[in-house]
Amino acid sequence: MPENEDIARRIELEIDRALKRNIRGLDFLIADREPVGTMPKSAIYRSGTAVLYRYEPVLDEVYRKPLLIVSPPSNRGYIFDLAPGQSFVEYMLRRGYDIYNLDWNPPRRDEAELGLSDYVNRFLPESLAAIAGITGEKGISLAGYCMGGTLAVMHAALHPKAIRNLIAFATPLDFNFMKLFQSWADKRYFDVELLVSKLGIIPADVMLGAFDLSRPANRTAGRMTLWNNMWNDDFVKSYRMFDRWAAETLPLPGAYFRELITQLMWENALANGTMEIAGRRVDLSRITCPILNIVAQHDHIVSHEATRPLMEMTGSKQRHEIVSKGGHVSLVAGPAAVKRLWPLIDEWLGEKST
């Protein structure tokens, strides 16, 4: 009977998958790391923890306005270039953009005093100057992911004439809506001064702990999902790359970490309009360039509400928002973004890059 044949095929399929899980489970444990960040690039600027890369163009003709992508200081920038076919950098290079990435190295012991002013008023302007020296263009497209986006927004507010277009991926600005992180850094119990004074450099484990607390069962659920899909080579390869990126969280300078906690988490100074960097108020209404705000529908780290000041408090008359399916990382890496999100970014930015 057809029903019996169907049941037999399903049993055969499950047996085959079970065998592959056991065989490939051992391979997973002993295999070398998956290669990441494979698009050719060269470092054109270094200072402190900052390193600016330029990716080699793949087309003879490129858009006039370069695109600078700012990584979050706690994470490696290769998330934008995870693997061929899952690389935002590769996708945009093939559409004619001249792409740069402001990435970060772990801070040395003598760099514990690096603060927000160094990131916003030193590393970013010096990176823009390096790009201008190569391209001759002063007005660029500036993009940032998570806290890299927060830094980019702050810089755009302080130096609005330097930015032609602004793209924010899952960028927190109203930290009252970072609920789980608010609980983690509760002022009544979180002694940030003691932590910074004792450690100087904040270890990566502190940040990893915060992310784990935001979704306690996530690591266990991820391992279970991996086991269920161990027979699937593509899934395993993707899992290994994402897992490597998450595990390579970077330590942070103590001064920078203190300012994140006291000014952003505790005072919500950016959304309240009281944020100051090097004596200058960070006024979001000074941002008048076109803005693209990209949020993930199921982001457990940066909620939609946390990003809203970009759409409600800036002075731009061209503000566009994309709410994409998926989670926090799916905006900047993964095959789903290639099909749905990245073409929309290209469509929005292309006409503004000439």
Side-chain angles (χ1 to χ4, degrees):
M1 294 178 62
E3 290 184 1
N4 291 336
E5 292 178 4
D6 183 55
I7 292 172
R9 282 196 299 270
R10 289 165 64 181
I11 292 173
E12 183 181 0
L13 176 62
E14 287 305 317
I15 291 173
D16 180 62
R17 289 180 175 180
L19 290 171
K20 288 179 178 177
R21 285 191 193 104
N22 284 279
I23 295 170
R24 293 175 184 174
L26 179 60
D27 291 340
F28 177 83
L29 292 174
I30 65 175
D32 294 332
R33 287 181 172 183
E34 292 289 344
V36 292
T38 58
M39 297 302 291
K41 63 186 178 182
S42 57
I44 61 172
Y45 159 80
R46 295 179 186 271
S47 181
T49 60
V51 54
L52 176 66
Y53 293 103
R54 185 189 191 187
Y55 287 90
E56 293 183 15
V58 299
L59 301 181
D60 293 334
E61 294 186 7
V62 298
Y63 284 112
R64 185 166 60 90
K65 294 297 181 183
L67 170 63
L68 170 60
I69 306 169
V70 183
S71 304
S74 61
N75 296 99
R76 296 285 187 181
Y78 66 72
I79 191 63
F80 302 106
D81 182 28
L82 199 59
Q86 297 187 50
S87 166
F88 179 68
V89 167
E90 177 191 38
Y91 183 92
M92 297 299 277
L93 284 172
R94 294 190 183 285
R95 275 142 190 84
Y97 295 91
D98 185 13
I99 301 180
Y100 301 77
N101 175 218
L102 181 54
D103 202 3
W104 313 101
N105 289 319
R108 303 187 308 267
R109 297 296 303 176
D110 61 349
E111 293 174 329
E113 292 305 313
L114 291 175
L116 277 172
S117 181
D118 292 288
Y119 286 83
V120 175
N121 277 342
R122 177 179 153 202
F123 300 143
L124 260 165
E126 290 178 1
S127 294
L128 296 181
I131 295 171
I134 293 173
T135 65
E137 295 290 331
K138 294 184 178 181
I140 73 154
S141 296
L142 182 62
Y145 171 48
C146 196
M147 281 305 302
T150 307
L151 298 177
V153 169
M154 290 180 182
H155 179 82
L158 292 171
H159 308 278
K161 293 182 180 179
I163 309 304
R164 174 73 174 265
N165 305 294
L166 181 62
I167 303 174
F169 293 89
T171 294
L173 299 174
D174 189 337
F175 284 78
N176 280 345
F177 290 99
M178 301 283 283
K179 297 295 186 182
L180 292 170
F181 283 88
Q182 285 285 350
S183 298
W184 172 73
D186 191 313
K187 191 175 183 179
R188 294 171 296 176
Y189 314 112
F190 193 87
D191 194 337
V192 67
E193 293 297 339
L194 178 64
L195 188 66
V196 171
S197 65
K198 292 294 185 181
L199 298 178
I201 301 297
I202 305 302
D205 286 347
V206 173
M207 297 306 300
L208 282 170
F211 288 119
D212 284 345
L213 285 171
S214 70
R215 185 170 281 186
N218 198 48
R219 194 177 297 272
T220 301
R223 290 290 179 175
M224 291 176 65
T225 303
L226 171 64
W227 178 249
N228 288 333
N229 290 276
M230 192 66 76
W231 55 272
N232 185 330
D233 288 341
D234 290 338
F235 182 93
V236 172
K237 181 179 179 180
S238 181
Y239 181 95
R240 286 174 58 84
M241 290 185 295
F242 280 109
D243 190 58
R244 173 181 173 179
W245 178 77
E248 291 183 349
T249 298
L250 300 174
L252 295 172
Y256 169 83
F257 181 78
R258 179 197 294 117
E259 290 175 306
L260 294 188
I261 299 299
T262 58
Q263 296 189 48
L264 295 178
M265 298 299 298
W266 291 354
E267 299 175 13
N268 200 25
L270 193 55
N272 289 338
T274 58
M275 185 84 189
E276 289 191 0
I277 294 181
R280 295 183 60 198
R281 188 166 73 90
V282 183
D283 183 0
L284 297 180
S285 68
R286 296 188 67 214
I287 302 176
T288 57
C289 66
I291 293 171
L292 179 60
N293 187 39
I294 305 169
V295 297
Q297 189 174 8
H298 304 293
D299 194 332
H300 70 288
I301 295 174
V302 180
S303 68
H304 193 173
E305 292 83 0
T307 73
R308 281 183 177 160
L310 200 62
M311 301 298 291
E312 298 173 354
M313 295 178 62
T314 53
S316 174
K317 295 181 180 179
Q318 299 183 57
R319 294 179 292 200
H320 184 64
E321 185 172 81
I322 299 174
V323 179
S324 179
K325 293 181 179 180
H328 188 70
V329 182
S330 66
L331 300 178
V332 294
V338 178
K339 299 176 183 178
R340 294 194 295 264
L341 176 60
W342 298 348
L344 298 177
I345 298 174
D346 173 38
E347 181 181 353
W348 183 88
L349 185 60
E351 63 183 18
K352 299 175 178 63
S353 299
T354 56

